Amino acid sequence: MSNRDMNNPAMEEEDEGDVFLGESDVLHEIDVDGEDLPDAFDEDDNDNDNEDEVFDENDDSVHTFTGHKGELYALACSPLDPTLVSTGGGDDKAFLWKIGNGDWAAELPAHKDSVSSLAFSYDGQLLASGGLDGVVQIFDASSGTLKCVLDGPGSGIEWVKWHPRGHIVLAGSEDCSMWMWNADKEAYLNMFSGHNQSVTCGDFTPDGHPYHTEGLICLDINSNSSLAISGSKDGSVHIVNIVTGKVVSSLSSHTESVECVKFSPSSATIPMAATGGMDKKLVIWDLQHSTPRFICEHAEGVTCVTWIGTSKYLATGCGDGTVSVWDSLLGNCVHTYHGHQDAVQSISVSANTEFIVSVSVDHTARVYDTSEFQNKME
C-alpha cells in the first residue's frame, strides 16, 4: 500500500472489518463438473513439482517397481530368467515382478513382520523368503504359489541361503541358531546352535557344506570352497581357511563397520576381493599380497557390492541412493546411476548381466541398463 493510501481516511475505513456477499450480490450461477476443475495448488506444491521434475531428469532407471508401501530390505534375481525379480521389505510383503513388464507382478502371501531376505534356488524353481516373524516361506518361482512354510526358530530370520545343488535351505535367526530344511519334503533337517548372539550371516560352501562365523556382518566364500572372507562391525576383514578354521589373512583399511564383502569370480586373472564400509570406501584387495589394490571413495557409506557376472567390473550401492560401477583392474568409476531418493539396501545383477537391480529405503526397486556403461568401456 502506498503512503498516499495510508494517509487516506476513506481507505482506512474501507479496510476495517470483513466484507460479506449476500444472495442479492450473485449475478449468475454456473454448474461446473468437478472433474473439469484444475487441481488446487499453492506455492509449496509448485516448488515440489519443480523438485520432482529435476529429480526425474536425474533418474537413470529403465524400470521402477513401486508396489511396496515401506522400506525395501531384500532383493533376489532369478538365476535363469533374466527378467524375474523378487523384492521384500518393511511392509511385510514380498513381490515377484518382471523387468520391462509393468503389467505383471505377483504379491506373495505376506509374512507377519518385515521380509528380511530372499533367495532363489540354484535351478530357479523355488523362491525362499525369510521374515522377522521367524518363518521361511517357500514359493513356486514361476507362479508365486506358496508351497510350504518352514518354522522352528524362536525369533526373526536374518538371512536365507540355498544349497548350490539341491532344494536344501539354510537360515540364520536372531535367537542365536541356524536351521536347515528340505524344501521339497517340507522337512526339518538340522539345527545348529552355539552362538551367543544373533546369527547375522552364513552360507553353504560351493561344495555344499554349511559354514558360518559369529560376530560378523557379512560373509562370502570363494569358488573352490577353500576360503571365507568376513567383515565385522569393528571395521576388520578376515580371510579364513574353511578346513582348518584358521585366519590366513587380516585386511585392514576400513575405519568403520564393514557392510559387504565379495570374492572376485573364479575366472579372474588376479584373485581379488571387494569390501565396502560405512567409512565411505570400496576397497579392492589383491589377495596374493593381502594389500589393497584400490580404495574407491563414495559420497556416503557403501552398503552393498556385487561383481557383474564373470567380468572385471563390480557394482556398489551407496547410502546416498546411487549405484556405481567400478573397473577392478584400473580402480576407476565407469558409470554412476541415479534414481533412488534414499539409501540403497541391496543390489543384484540379472542372469544375462544386462540389468542391475537395486532396492532402497525410498520404498522402490529400480532397474538400470548396463549397456549405458558397457558402451563407455568399448
Side-chain angles (χ1 to χ4, degrees):
M1 183 179 291
S2 67
N3 291 332
R4 183 184 65 184
D5 292 336
M6 292 178 62
N7 296 326
N8 189 333
M11 286 291 293
E12 288 183 11
E13 193 170 299
E14 288 177 8
D15 288 343
E16 289 180 0
D18 297 326
V19 178
F20 297 95
L21 295 176
E23 291 186 8
S24 60
D25 298 309
V26 177
L27 300 179
H28 186 61
E29 292 184 2
I30 301 174
D31 292 330
V32 178
D33 187 343
E35 293 181 358
D36 295 333
L37 291 173
D39 293 333
F41 70 97
D42 54 25
E43 286 188 2
D44 292 338
D45 291 336
N46 197 36
D47 290 341
N48 290 337
D49 289 342
N50 290 336
E51 289 177 5
D52 290 342
E53 289 175 7
V54 172
F55 172 73
D56 288 340
E57 291 175 0
N58 294 327
D59 187 353
D60 300 317
S61 59
V62 297
H63 184 118
T64 303
F65 181 71
T66 58
H68 288 277
K69 304 302 181 185
E71 298 181 2
L72 274 71
Y73 307 132
L75 166 67
C77 288
S78 167
L80 296 184
D81 183 346
T83 66
L84 187 61
V85 180
S86 182
T87 51
D91 55 3
D92 308 345
K93 295 180 180 180
F95 287 88
L96 278 170
W97 49 277
K98 291 192 173 182
I99 297 172
N101 189 349
D103 295 331
W104 188 88
E107 181 177 343
L108 305 179
H111 282 269
K112 295 180 180 178
D113 206 333
S114 297
V115 177
S116 57
S117 53
L118 292 161
F120 283 96
S121 59
Y122 76 102
D123 55 7
Q125 293 181 2
L126 301 177
L127 172 70
S129 68
L132 295 185
D133 54 2
V135 302
V136 174
Q137 297 187 151
I138 306 297
F139 303 94
D140 181 294
S142 61
S143 65
T145 303
L146 179 65
K147 290 180 64 70
C148 62
V149 177
L150 307 173
D151 56 16
S155 296
I157 302 296
E158 291 271 5
W159 51 268
V160 292
K161 294 288 178 68
W162 287 95
H163 191 282
R165 300 190 190 112
H167 289 170
I168 306 299
V169 66
L170 190 68
S173 172
E174 292 177 331
D175 68 0
C176 311
S177 65
M178 187 169 69
W179 294 68
M180 186 186 296
W181 300 271
N182 183 317
D184 288 332
K185 298 181 179 179
E186 305 178 25
Y188 157 81
L189 295 179
N190 206 345
M191 189 270 284
F192 304 90
S193 59
H195 293 294
N196 56 18
Q197 292 186 18
S198 174
V199 183
T200 53
C201 55
D203 203 351
F204 284 101
T205 62
D207 61 13
H209 294 94
Y211 179 83
H212 63 102
T213 309
E214 62 181 330
L216 307 174
I217 292 179
C218 46
L219 172 74
D220 191 36
I221 298 169
N222 69 348
S223 58
N224 64 8
S225 302
S226 62
L227 300 174
I229 184 171
S230 56
S232 175
K233 202 169 187 177
D234 62 7
S236 63
V237 175
H238 297 295
I239 296 179
V240 179
N241 182 304
I242 291 178
V243 176
T244 65
K246 293 182 178 179
V247 175
V248 297
S249 184
S250 294
L251 311 178
S252 56
S253 278
H254 290 285
T255 57
E256 293 186 41
S257 171
V258 178
E259 298 294 309
C260 47
V261 295
K262 278 289 181 181
F263 281 110
S264 61
S266 57
S267 59
T269 55
I270 301 172
M272 292 181 288
T275 60
M278 297 311 293
D279 55 2
K280 307 179 183 179
K281 296 177 182 177
L282 163 71
V283 182
I284 301 173
W285 298 91
D286 178 342
L287 296 184
Q288 288 180 328
H289 302 93
S290 298
T291 56
R293 286 175 58 86
F294 303 105
I295 297 178
C296 308
E297 299 289 343
H298 290 64
E300 296 292 341
V302 179
T303 56
C304 42
V305 63
T306 187
W307 292 84
I308 300 176
T310 58
S311 73
K312 63 177 180 177
Y313 300 97
L314 63 157
T316 55
C318 186
D320 65 356
T322 59
V323 173
S324 297
V325 177
W326 303 83
D327 185 326
S328 65
L329 299 183
L330 298 177
N332 64 309
C333 182
V334 177
H335 192 86
T336 297
Y337 298 97
H338 300 271
H340 285 297
Q341 301 180 62
D342 212 328
V344 176
Q345 298 275 53
S346 181
I347 55 176
S348 186
V349 179
S350 64
N352 60 3
T353 71
E354 292 182 2
F355 302 104
I356 297 172
V357 186
S358 58
V359 296
S360 168
V361 175
D362 69 4
H363 303 186
T364 70
R366 293 180 184 271
V367 180
Y368 302 104
D369 186 344
T370 59
S371 64
E372 293 189 27
F373 75 85
Q374 288 174 346
N375 291 336
K376 294 182 179 181
M377 296 188 294
E378 297 175 353

